[in-house]
Amino acid sequence: MQTRNRIFDDISQLMTNAMGVAQGAKDEAETAMKSMMDRWLADRNFVSRDEFEAVRAMAQKAREENEALKTRLDAMEKK
């Protein structure tokens, strides 16, 4: 009976260690993949969402200013 419990304890410990190794490998693979994706994206000069939104807002403001200036020019031409 004592030997049987010892075998189960050893198997249980072995499985626990194997799961720890598997978790470590998974974490390492995720880190490596994230690093690779970050490098790939950086090489393609993609902009961040914040940069995109800032330029988009500037372009919208420029369009509005152009419309206002066009309206003023049209009014001047009619005089």
Side-chain angles (χ1 to χ4, degrees):
M1 197 66 153
Q2 183 75 359
T3 306
R4 188 173 213 187
N5 286 339
R6 178 75 176 149
I7 291 172
F8 286 134
D9 287 345
D10 288 346
I11 291 173
S12 174
Q13 185 64 40
L14 180 65
M15 294 303 285
T16 300
N17 291 342
M19 293 304 286
V21 169
Q23 182 65 39
K26 175 187 167 276
D27 292 344
E28 189 172 329
E30 284 176 352
T31 301
M33 183 59 91
K34 183 179 181 325
S35 177
M36 187 175 71
M37 288 299 295
D38 288 344
R39 276 194 312 272
W40 184 82
L41 289 171
D43 289 345
R44 272 127 193 97
N45 294 323
F46 288 131
V47 297
S48 69
R49 184 68 180 182
D50 292 337
E51 291 171 325
F52 175 79
E53 292 296 332
V55 172
R56 184 177 178 188
M58 287 173 26
Q60 180 63 33
K61 184 178 178 185
R63 277 190 224 105
E64 291 167 0
E65 289 173 355
N66 284 343
E67 279 297 317
L69 289 172
K70 184 177 183 299
T71 302
R72 285 180 62 194
L73 280 174
D74 290 344
M76 290 175 135
E77 288 176 356
K78 291 180 181 177
K79 287 186 179 182

